[in-house]
Amino acid sequence: MNIVGRGALAGLVLLIVSCQPKSPLSDINGNVNVLIPKPINNSTSYTLEPVQLNDIKVLKEMRGNYAEFFYAPGSNNGALYGTAPQARYSKSQQGFFVPIDMISSQMATIYYHLQNLIQLNESVDLQAVTRKPFQVGLEVRKTDRDQTYEKNNAFYDGYSDSMLFLPMNTTELSLALNAGVIAHEFFHSIFYKKVLGKTKLVNKTIKAEEIRTAQDKADLFNLTYVRGINEGLADFWGWLYTKDIDFMRMSFSGLQSADRSLGLQKLEIGVYQTTEEMNRNIENALDNTVQTNELLLDYIYMIGTPHARFLRNLVDLESQATGSVVSLKTLYRVEGDEKKWIRVLVEFLDQLSTELANLPGKTVSAARLFEYIGERSLQENLLTKDQCIFVIQYLGEFDEDTQVSIGPSGQKINCLKKTNTEFYEARRF
Amino acid sequence: MKHVVFSFIFLFSYFAQAQGRAVIRTAISQKSSISSPDLRLNIFLPGVQMRYQDTAAQSQEIVTHYTYTLSFQVNKFLLGFEFLTQAENSGNESFEIEKKFNEQNLFFGYTAIKKDFFVSGKFLLEFMLTPQVLVGRSTNLVKTRLMGTSIESNSAAETTYGMGLIGSARTGYLLVETDLRYQTSKNYEPGSLMLGTVRIGANFQF
């Protein structure tokens, strides 16, 4: 090579080294606008919209104050471990970032919803049960009983206190892009810290041969009830966030979604799994010694969904009375009465946790949530007339003509107007 | 043509500041040889370029890009234009992301080594090694589809820089090139990457 060639090579090296740009995402932090799919306010459809993700520390890993991601992680000592997925974005001419693959889109979408949900928690004094940043596992490898990798599911893992998303291979909206599902899983973290984690009722596999004593049966009843309302209240949380009574259908258009719709027909008001029905179904599951756990896991949704529909209708009745639209999307910004149902729900969890701890050998009432609302209506301005009449239909046999319910022990339950207010109380006589 | 030659002189003088005046003098000395220049037009079939980069599968893999290249050669100096495109899809029927990457590069080279061989005493086979530098622009067009609706987002054009080495084999009209490069751009993932190109074309001498 002559001197020109050598000079050219040396010059090229100098040029490249001096001009080398960094990765476009490496230095970006703070508040970042990213295009994500999100529910349209007060609608049941989705749109693509740039949203602001706050307090991002490393955009390439979508790590910030609200979320931290792991790709196909393991868990150890109460936390996830593994590598962070690498986000890939193109910066649009309008200045916002556009995810250029599915994983990046999932990361941005989850971050945005966790940011809203954590901010809501902070506004209703739930900081103590809020992990921040929230750990999230994507493309999680989980094997089922046949040692094959499970797909198309998402769950909250109380052990690692993290939200885990399994790979999707369907044509429907990924669970990691479904705002209602993210809110649903997020609620499980609240429930775990408020109830499950404080009791000996853990999410263990139920084996029929291990249920021998009355204590075992009471524990199984309580566990089934707690699992049931955990799912139901999580569905309610998903509805609060999206205002979509059927938020699951975006990702599961099949039977599961229809069964868990939060729509409530008139004939379904007051219908739920009573203590007697629960006992009967648990006995049936125990009779099938091979699939006891699977049967009970299917059954818990029959317990939970009526609770979700009950709470949704209660909030809707309030919205109709006040003309306001209540959803987490507005709640986390608005102080005032709109948050009261979240506070009521959270305080119910504390009450339930206390009662479960003080019930050795006894079972909790399957109507405990409905009873709790009725009891609170005696102490505070909680229920409008329509709400009160709705609630007492869950407390006994309701007579449409007299607007009175007859409770399990024969007592009458009536809605009485409280003195000097527009509110009503569910009074037992 | 003089403009091209003087452009090269300027470019090399810029590149070779560290090498001192000797380089400039040598480059200028090339000017004296243009009285009967070896002037060629190289037209290539669509080629493939392999880039080692991030993918939607959360790994770094060799990704195939398609290139369309045209170059001119004056004696030992090479000036070329390259258009490059690559498409990537991820997602499913409900939510799909389609990324189209485009890049246009202008490359400048200087043939530092050239060896000629006669095959069977008849065919002249020429091998050349040409260090090169390139500059260009790259853009991403991202189409995001959500349940039937879609948004297209064009990225801002980002400058690309690169350096590398072209290995060429030429006999008659036939020209085969392999091109190894190190390139950087803000539209790359990661920001700097290695790539290799194989292209076959024809050269026409004037």
Side-chain angles (χ1 to χ4, degrees):
Chain A
M1 191 185 296
N2 61 25
I3 192 165
V4 175
R6 288 196 298 271
L9 269 179
L12 298 184
V13 170
L14 278 174
L15 177 72
I16 296 301
V17 169
S18 61
C19 296
Q20 179 180 336
K22 291 180 180 176
S23 170
L25 305 182
S26 60
D27 288 337
I28 295 167
N29 53 32
N31 298 341
V32 181
N33 291 316
V34 181
L35 184 76
I36 66 163
K38 65 185 281 267
I40 299 170
N41 249 353
N42 307 316
S43 164
T44 56
S45 58
Y46 275 59
T47 187
L48 291 163
E49 194 176 297
V51 296
Q52 183 170 295
L53 308 182
N54 297 333
D55 304 325
I56 295 287
K57 289 178 180 166
V58 183
L59 184 62
K60 186 69 183 164
E61 298 176 359
M62 192 47 78
R63 178 158 50 85
N65 274 359
Y66 294 100
E68 182 181 11
F69 292 88
F70 298 82
Y71 188 76
S75 74
N76 195 18
N77 293 328
L80 297 183
Y81 68 87
T83 57
Q86 299 296 297
R88 301 164 67 217
Y89 296 113
S90 171
K91 189 172 186 182
S92 72
Q93 289 172 346
Q94 292 79 23
F96 58 85
F97 287 90
V98 181
I100 58 176
D101 62 35
M102 190 65 168
I103 293 288
S104 306
S105 210
Q106 290 177 350
M107 292 163 79
T109 305
I110 293 168
Y111 191 99
Y112 173 72
H113 294 307
L114 284 177
Q115 173 181 300
N116 290 345
L117 292 161
I118 288 172
Q119 285 174 356
L120 169 77
N121 268 15
E122 290 172 345
S123 72
V124 291
D125 299 326
L126 281 172
Q127 294 97 323
V129 294
T130 307
R131 183 170 194 165
K132 188 179 171 187
F134 208 98
Q135 291 199 326
V136 181
L138 297 176
E139 300 290 303
V140 173
R141 310 279 195 264
K142 180 174 181 286
T143 53
D144 60 16
R145 215 168 43 169
D146 304 327
Q147 295 304 305
T148 56
Y149 285 119
E150 289 184 37
K151 292 189 184 299
N152 309 324
N153 208 348
F155 56 95
Y156 167 77
D157 177 41
Y159 176 70
S160 59
D161 191 13
S162 60
M163 197 180 291
L164 305 175
F165 292 88
L166 308 187
M168 288 284 285
N169 63 354
T170 72
T171 59
E172 299 181 287
L173 187 70
S174 165
L175 292 168
L177 301 177
N178 188 318
V181 169
I182 294 166
H184 171 104
E185 299 305 336
F186 184 80
F187 177 81
H188 284 322
S189 74
I190 299 171
F191 193 88
Y192 187 88
K193 289 161 193 163
K194 285 278 180 189
V195 182
L196 271 177
K198 287 185 173 177
T199 71
K200 60 180 179 179
L201 303 173
V202 291
N203 275 318
K204 63 180 182 182
T205 302
I206 307 299
K207 292 175 182 168
E209 61 271 22
E210 293 175 357
I211 309 298
R212 298 188 186 95
T213 65
Q215 171 79 54
D216 293 339
K217 287 194 175 180
D219 285 348
L220 180 58
F221 181 96
N222 289 342
L223 176 60
T224 307
Y225 172 75
V226 164
R227 281 176 167 179
I229 61 163
N230 189 10
E231 290 302 330
L233 302 187
D235 280 352
F236 169 69
W237 213 258
W239 170 79
L240 264 185
Y241 190 61
T242 60
K243 294 295 281 182
D244 181 355
I245 59 169
D246 206 5
F247 63 83
M248 288 276 186
R249 83 184 179 289
M250 300 284 186
S251 304
F252 295 114
S253 58
L255 191 61
Q256 187 185 3
S257 169
D259 285 350
R260 289 173 65 179
S261 168
L262 270 61
L264 185 62
Q265 305 298 319
K266 189 169 173 58
L267 285 175
E268 293 171 329
I269 295 174
V271 177
Y272 63 96
Q273 289 291 299
T274 62
T275 300
E276 295 72 28
E277 287 168 326
M278 279 186 63
N279 275 324
R280 195 163 52 244
N281 279 293
I282 291 169
E283 286 296 335
N284 288 341
L286 289 172
D287 287 343
N288 186 330
T289 54
V290 179
Q291 290 188 303
T292 303
N293 198 56
E294 286 74 11
L295 288 169
L296 288 174
L297 286 178
D298 285 343
Y299 178 56
I300 60 175
Y301 295 99
M302 291 180 67
I303 299 167
T305 301
H307 287 80
R309 290 170 179 161
F310 167 80
L311 285 168
R312 183 203 63 78
N313 207 53
L314 210 50
V315 174
D316 262 0
L317 287 170
E318 179 136 335
S319 304
Q320 289 163 17
T322 61
S324 66
V325 176
V326 182
S327 81
L328 294 192
K329 282 183 289 192
T330 52
L331 281 173
Y332 81 85
R333 295 189 203 100
V334 178
E335 294 296 331
D337 291 342
E338 290 93 344
K339 288 182 181 170
K340 81 177 184 193
W341 287 108
I342 290 179
R343 290 204 173 92
V344 168
L345 184 57
V346 168
E347 284 161 25
F348 167 69
L349 299 184
D350 291 334
Q351 177 74 19
L352 180 64
S353 175
T354 304
E355 290 178 5
L356 286 170
N358 295 320
L359 277 175
K362 295 179 183 174
T363 58
V364 68
S365 165
R368 192 65 196 97
L369 175 66
F370 317 126
E371 292 165 358
Y372 178 80
I373 301 286
E375 290 161 12
R376 277 193 71 143
S377 73
L378 300 172
Q379 298 152 13
E380 61 186 278
N381 295 334
L382 189 68
L383 301 175
T384 63
K385 183 179 182 184
D386 287 344
Q387 285 175 318
C388 184
I389 290 171
F390 174 69
V391 169
I392 65 172
Q393 293 178 68
Y394 286 82
L395 299 177
E397 287 294 322
F398 183 69
D399 184 337
E400 194 81 47
D401 297 329
T402 59
Q403 302 280 289
V404 172
S405 276
I406 307 297
S409 54
Q411 78 276 37
K412 287 183 178 178
I413 307 165
N414 202 357
C415 281
L416 288 182
K417 191 170 185 297
K418 295 164 88 80
T419 312
N420 296 328
T421 75
E422 295 301 313
F423 294 94
Y424 283 70
E425 60 187 27
R427 172 73 65 182
R428 292 172 188 263
F429 296 96
Chain B
M1 186 52 63
K2 282 183 179 176
H3 294 297
V4 174
V5 174
F6 281 116
S7 297
F8 271 97
I9 292 168
F10 174 77
L11 190 66
F12 277 105
S13 64
Y14 173 77
F15 292 155
Q17 285 173 36
Q19 297 295 312
R21 293 180 178 176
V23 176
I24 301 169
R25 280 200 300 273
T26 310
I28 291 170
S29 72
Q30 298 295 324
K31 189 185 171 197
S32 62
S33 67
I34 64 167
S35 53
S36 56
D38 177 13
L39 177 62
R40 291 172 191 265
L41 170 65
N42 303 321
I43 300 173
F44 294 91
L45 295 170
V48 288
Q49 188 172 100
M50 306 296 186
R51 294 185 168 199
Y52 191 65
Q53 63 181 53
D54 293 352
T55 68
Q58 287 292 308
S59 56
Q60 288 199 336
E61 297 171 8
I62 293 173
V63 178
T64 302
H65 295 59
Y66 295 96
T67 67
Y68 305 87
T69 309
L70 190 72
S71 65
F72 301 95
Q73 190 153 11
V74 183
N75 296 331
K76 292 184 175 183
F77 295 99
L78 183 71
L79 171 67
F81 174 76
E82 170 190 69
F83 174 76
L84 179 136
T85 184
Q86 185 257 341
E88 178 189 278
N89 284 60
S90 70
N92 60 13
E93 287 177 21
S94 296
F95 183 78
E96 184 182 15
I97 299 171
E98 181 184 338
K99 184 197 78 165
K100 283 185 180 168
F101 174 79
N102 289 323
E103 187 173 298
Q104 299 94 41
N105 291 318
L106 204 57
F107 57 93
F108 314 91
Y110 177 81
T111 301
I113 297 173
K114 182 170 181 291
K115 297 288 182 189
D116 297 343
F117 300 93
F118 279 95
V119 180
S120 305
K122 289 182 181 176
F123 301 107
L124 176 63
L125 188 57
E126 301 164 279
F127 290 99
M128 291 155 287
L129 281 178
T130 308
Q132 62 167 328
V133 60
L134 68 86
V135 64
R137 65 196 285 276
S138 63
T139 55
N140 279 314
L141 171 63
V142 185
K143 196 172 196 175
T144 311
R145 290 192 197 90
L146 173 69
M147 297 171 194
T149 61
S150 67
I151 285 184
E152 282 192 0
S153 311
N154 277 299
S155 73
E158 295 290 350
T159 308
T160 60
Y161 308 96
M163 61 167 288
L165 192 64
I166 301 172
S168 312
R170 185 167 66 196
T171 180
Y173 287 109
L174 182 63
L175 176 62
V176 178
E177 286 189 352
T178 60
D179 183 351
L180 296 173
R181 287 185 218 156
Y182 177 78
Q183 277 184 218
T184 68
S185 170
K186 287 184 177 178
N187 272 332
Y188 292 170
E189 307 131 7
S192 304
L193 46 87
M194 295 295 298
L195 60 90
T197 309
V198 177
R199 51 183 178 249
I200 300 172
N203 76 100
F204 303 96
Q205 189 171 22
F206 298 97

